[in-house]
Amino acid sequence: MRSQPFRKILIANRGEIACRILRTLKTSGVASVAIHHAVEDRSPHVGQADEAVEIFGDTPVAAHLDVEQIVAAAQGAGADAIHPGYGFLSENARFAAAVEAAGLVFVGPDAETIALMGDKISARNFARAQGVPVAPSVTPTGDLSSFLAAAETIGFPLLIKAAAGGGGKGMSVVRSASELRSAARIAASEAERYFGDGRIYAETYVERPRHIEVQIAGDGDGQALHLYERECSVQRRFQKIIEEAPAAALAPALRDDICAAAARLASAAHYRNLGTVEFIVAADGRFFFLEMNTRLQVEHPVTEMITGLDLVRLQLEIAAGFGLAGVPRPLPRRGHAIECRVCAEDPERDFLPETGTLAVLEIPSAPWLRFENALAPGQRIGTEFDPMLAKLVVHGDTREQAVERALQALDQLALLGVRTNIDYLARVLDHPGFRAGELHTGFLQEHAAALQPKALDAAATDAAVIAAALGFRNFRNVVFDVPEPYASIGAWRN
Amino acid sequence: MGFTLHLDGAAHEIEILARRPHLRLRVDGRDYEITSAGEEDDGRQHVEIDAKPHRFVRAHVGNRQILRMQGRTFEAELLDPRDAARAGGTDLGCLRAPIPCSVVEVHKRPGEAVTRGETLVTIESMKLQIALLAPRDGTLAKAPRSAGETFEKDAIVAELEPLPKA
C-alpha cells in the first residue's frame, strides 16, 4: 500500500458530482483532470478542472462508459488515480481492474468486492453468511417452473427483481399465485433487455417498508466503521428524491443494530474505501439486507452535514493508504440534514423527463445550505443524461428546522426554462405525514392526491396573471399607448 | 381592449380600466390597482397590487413566460386578440409527444374507430415506455406509419378526425 498523497486525479464523471469531487481536489491541493464528450465541452466541470480531455463515443453516455479510453486518458494526462463518482463506471469491476492493471489507483473498493456486491444473489449470500438478516427469497435455477414453485412456498406478497438490476428496472410486486408466472416472465425479459442478464429472484415483500442505508468506510484490512444511517424512503419509480440523516423517528436500539450489521458486513468483506449498505426496514422493526453500493452515493452530503466529514477527502485518504485515521472517534453527529433532488421532470405527468433551456437560475444562499449542481444559464437540458439537475441540501439543529429551511430554500430557488419538480418537493416536505416522519417507500403513491398542486385562491391567481401580463411586450404596448402613466407607475425595463 | 392570458393552461380575461393615476386592471371580473412594478437591484421583479407587494422571478422562453412567484412556478402565454379571432376549435384531437421519443408499437390505424382511454401508440424514451391514449371517442385521422419513427417533444404523433360542428 502506498501511503502517499496523490498528485493528480482524473474524474471519470460529469455534472454535479464531478464538480463536487473537484472542490475537494482543489482544497486538498491535488491537480484535476476532467473528461467530456463534445456535447458537454462547455459544462462547468470542464471549466473548473485543471485539465480536460475530450472523450469520444456514438453517444455521450457511451463515451463515459468506455473503459479503455478513460484509462488511456488518465495515463496520457499523468494522473496517478481515477475517481469514478457515482453511476457510469463507478460499480464496474472490469473498470476497477483495468485502472489497477494500468498502474493507477482506483478510488473505491477492489474489483473482486465490486463483483461480489454487484450481483444481488452473491451479495445476499455473503450477507447471510455474516449473520446480516436477509429477506426469505428464491434464487433462480434458470428453470421457470421450479422457480415458481419455490416462490410460492415463501408466500405473498413477493417482490421480483433482476439479479443484475438497479434503478427499479425489472422489478414488480406480485400479490397472488395467479399473477406470478406472467410477472416472472416479464421481469426476466426486462432483465435480459436492460442488463443482458435474464436471471431474476423473488423475495418477501415488506409492506410499507422504509429504505434505510448505512454509510460505511473500510481500510481494506478488515477494519470498518459505520458513519451513521440515512433515510431514503421517499421515492418515485423506485428512485430516491428526498434523503435525510439521521433517519426520522427510528428507535435508537434499532438504529444501533442496523449500523452495527452494516459495519460487520463491511469488515467481513475486508471492504476498502466508502460504501453503502442498504436495508429494508419493516414497521415491526425487522430489517433485511437489500444491497451494497460500492461507491460514493448521490446523497452523501447529508452524512457530511451531520458528521462534519468530507467524504470525498476520506475516499482519497483511504485510497492513498492512510486508512481511517481521518475519522474522529467517536464520530460526532450534529443536527439533521435533508437533501432534495431537483429533477427536470413533470410530477403531474407521472414524472416524465422534461427538456428545455435553462433561462434563469437563482440559487439561494445560506451557511446551512449546499446547492450541488453543474448548471449555467443558457444550458440546454436534454435527455442524453440523467434528469437530476441539482441537489439542494440543508442542515438544521432539529428535523423541524431542517424541513423549514428546505422549504424556504426551495421557495427561493428559481430554475426557469425547463419544468422541474421543485414545487412538488416543497409539497412533499410540507405534507403532515412527512413532517411527522411517517415514511415508507410507497409514501408518494399513498399521498398522491394530497401532493397534487393546491388550487390557488382568486387573488393569488390574479396576482400571477397581472405579473405575467406586465411582462408581455404586446400588453405593455397597449398599457403605455398614452405617455403619461409611464412616470406614475415607476421604472419599466425589458 | 381585452386580453386573454393563459396561466398554466387556464384562460384569464384582462381588461385595462384606467391608466391614471395608477394602472387599474380587471381580471376575470375583479378589479385591481397596480401602484408600482419593475425590476429590483437583485434582478428579481416586483409588482404592487392593491398596495400588496409581490416579488418574483421571470423568464421568457419563446413566446411563453415562466414565473416563480408565491412559492410556485407558473407558465403564462398571452393570446394576441388578433390571433384569437382566427383561432377555431380545440386541440383535443391531437396526441403530442410528451418528450423526444421513438415509436415502439402502433395499435390503431387511420380510419379506425377509437374509444376514449384506448392505447393508440406506445412510445419509448430513455428506456421508459409510455402509452398514448385516445383523449376522446372518435376516428383516427393520423398515426405513425411504423415502429421506430421518432418525434421531437410536442410534435403531433397521432390525431383524431375533428368533431362535427354542433
Side-chain angles (χ1 to χ4, degrees), chain A residues 238-410:
Chain A
F238 292 108
Q239 288 177 340
K240 306 159 186 172
I241 57 166
I242 296 177
E243 300 102 332
E244 55 186 301
L250 186 65
L254 180 56
R255 164 180 295 137
D256 292 347
D257 283 354
I258 294 172
C259 288
R264 193 161 70 239
L265 183 73
S267 172
H270 282 235
Y271 194 88
R272 185 187 73 205
N273 218 288
L274 295 196
T276 294
V277 186
E278 298 190 337
F279 295 98
I280 283 296
V281 180
D284 59 8
R286 285 176 302 151
F287 65 92
F288 301 117
F289 172 79
L290 188 62
E291 64 180 32
M292 180 164 191
N293 294 319
T294 54
R295 52 162 164 87
L296 191 66
Q297 295 284 93
V298 175
E299 58 273 24
H300 75 276
V302 293
T303 298
E304 296 186 318
M305 279 190 153
I306 63 160
T307 60
L309 289 170
D310 176 338
L311 293 182
V312 174
R313 179 189 292 263
L314 181 58
Q315 285 193 295
L316 300 182
E317 288 171 358
I318 296 169
F322 296 104
L324 304 175
V327 184
R329 277 167 256 187
L331 180 63
R333 190 178 68 194
R334 196 179 64 79
H336 201 97
I338 296 178
E339 171 179 285
C340 299
R341 298 194 192 187
V342 176
C343 300
E345 65 185 22
D346 186 351
E348 272 92 80
R349 288 201 297 176
D350 205 18
F351 305 99
L352 286 184
E354 287 279 328
T355 58
T357 300
L358 191 56
V360 168
L361 175 64
E362 269 216 21
I363 303 170
S365 115
W368 39 262
L369 171 89
R370 277 167 64 175
F371 188 71
E372 299 287 345
N373 75 101
L375 298 172
Q379 187 174 324
R380 226 193 77 73
I381 311 295
T383 52
E384 53 284 14
F385 297 110
D386 190 88
M388 189 179 86
L389 297 173
K391 307 182 308 205
L392 180 80
V393 198
V394 302
H395 184 266
D397 294 334
T398 60
R399 186 169 186 269
E400 293 68 36
Q401 190 183 43
V403 170
E404 287 309 321
R405 285 178 165 178
L407 283 169
Q408 182 189 333
L410 285 170

Side-chain angles (χ1 to χ4, degrees), chain A residues 59-126:
Chain A
T59 63
V61 169
H64 279 277
L65 291 174
D66 189 330
V67 170
E68 283 71 31
Q69 197 181 170
I70 292 170
V71 172
Q75 285 178 310
D80 38 21
I82 295 183
H83 194 305
Y86 58 70
F88 295 123
L89 293 170
S90 61
E91 292 182 284
N92 184 312
R94 191 169 78 78
F95 181 58
V99 172
E100 303 279 345
L104 307 176
V105 175
F106 179 75
V107 180
D110 54 47
E112 294 75 44
T113 310
I114 296 176
L116 171 72
M117 295 302 175
D119 184 287
K120 286 194 161 67
I121 296 166
S122 64
R124 286 163 57 92
N125 291 342
F126 184 82

